[in-house]
Amino acid sequence: MSESSKPLPLLEYPRPSVAVDTAALTVDAGQLKVLLVRRREEHRTGEWALPGTFLRERETLAAAVLRSLRDKAGIEGRVPQQLHVFDDPDRDDRGWTLSVAHVDAVPYVELEKPLQSDYVRLASVTADAELIAGLPYGHAEMVLLAANRLRQDYVQTPDPAGLLPKPFTLKELRDLHEAVAGRPLMRDTFRRLMEPQLVGTGQMSDGTRGRPSRLWRRGH
């Protein structure tokens, strides 16, 4: 092999920093919401953003995601999924950075403790559109892509992310799906689609929110 055709050592190639960011979605008060954390960096103190971090040497992406959720949002025990790689060279004003965005749907009950912190909050994907549009590092695009991914997951399948406590009524299930979709759903059409995928528990709701109704759980 000639000198000119030898491959360059890896250190000879320009390399970007690699970051991970996670859109942790939940349903609260009838709305699809995303978890935000308050930035503590000197030049961005007080600014809201998705929980994220830079990849450390010899660290996996999955480990970095779990570390960022734990350290910045107080969330543990989750398994976020990769969403998309954001590689616009100008997306981060700190330098050339690739971000491997992740998404996770988290039951609200698991966020109650983290939300007690002044550095953690929820933002409605629709009602807080102005706040989300102003997020740094292209996080607004990540939130919208994550929300669309979750909405697609919920079109045909009853609560695939397990956001609803079990067991549940059909109305509770429809309310959840409407919150994820961001629009009303036809009651009878929804029932015909979802009921064959559910298993009755043989129990009834206690009727504290209207007439007693059949309780269901998701089928296998």
Side-chain angles (χ1 to χ4, degrees), residues 188-209:
D188 291 341
T189 301
F190 181 82
R191 178 183 57 78
R192 286 194 297 269
L193 176 63
M194 297 297 170
E195 194 169 291
Q197 304 179 66
L198 301 174
V199 176
T201 65
Q203 300 174 316
M204 304 289 287
S205 65
D206 57 17
T208 56
R209 298 183 180 180

Side-chain angles (χ1 to χ4, degrees), residues 77-122:
R78 304 300 307 173
V79 187
Q81 302 296 310
Q82 286 190 24
L83 177 67
H84 186 72
V85 176
F86 290 81
D87 61 356
D88 182 347
D90 299 320
R91 59 172 295 276
D92 193 325
D93 58 11
R94 296 169 296 183
W96 183 24
T97 304
L98 302 180
S99 176
V100 184
H102 289 66
V103 60
D104 195 11
V106 187
Y108 179 79
V109 66
E110 295 186 25
L111 298 177
E112 289 180 335
K113 184 176 180 179
L115 287 169
Q116 295 175 11
S117 168
D118 292 336
Y119 288 91
V120 180
R121 65 162 293 179
L122 293 176

Side-chain angles (χ1 to χ4, degrees), residues 14 36 81 84 92 105 123 126 142 154 157 171-172 182 185 193 205 209:
L36 303 177
Q81 302 296 310
H84 186 72
D92 193 325
T126 53
M142 297 179 191
Y154 271 69
T157 306
K171 183 180 185 308
E172 289 170 337
L185 301 174
L193 176 63
S205 65
R209 298 183 180 180

Side-chain angles (χ1 to χ4, degrees), residues 19-174:
V20 292
D21 296 291
T22 303
L25 301 170
T26 193
V27 168
D28 171 45
Q31 297 183 66
L32 181 62
K33 297 184 179 181
V34 64
L35 183 137
L36 303 177
V37 296
R38 196 187 297 273
R39 309 293 292 199
R40 306 189 193 193
E41 292 88 342
E42 182 177 346
H43 69 302
R44 290 189 180 274
T45 300
E47 185 177 59
W48 294 100
L50 295 178
T53 190
F54 284 98
L55 195 67
R56 294 174 176 172
E57 186 174 0
R58 308 294 296 177
E59 185 178 38
T60 66
L61 293 170
V65 168
L66 296 181
R67 174 170 58 82
S68 69
L69 290 175
R70 181 189 68 241
D71 295 350
K72 297 189 176 182
I75 299 173
E76 297 189 74
R78 304 300 307 173
V79 187
Q81 302 296 310
Q82 286 190 24
L83 177 67
H84 186 72
V85 176
F86 290 81
D87 61 356
D88 182 347
D90 299 320
R91 59 172 295 276
D92 193 325
D93 58 11
R94 296 169 296 183
W96 183 24
T97 304
L98 302 180
S99 176
V100 184
H102 289 66
V103 60
D104 195 11
V106 187
Y108 179 79
V109 66
E110 295 186 25
L111 298 177
E112 289 180 335
K113 184 176 180 179
L115 287 169
Q116 295 175 11
S117 168
D118 292 336
Y119 288 91
V120 180
R121 65 162 293 179
L122 293 176
S124 169
V125 173
T126 53
D128 295 317
E130 184 175 346
L131 169 63
I132 290 175
L135 296 178
Y137 313 137
H139 287 185
E141 187 178 356
M142 297 179 191
V143 171
L144 295 180
L145 188 63
N148 287 337
R149 167 79 67 85
L150 189 67
R151 285 166 175 157
Q152 286 300 313
D153 291 344
Y154 271 69
V155 170
Q156 300 289 333
T157 306
D159 189 21
L163 294 177
L164 199 62
K166 296 179 289 187
F168 47 79
T169 67
L170 270 176
K171 183 180 185 308
E172 289 170 337
L173 182 65
R174 191 176 82 250

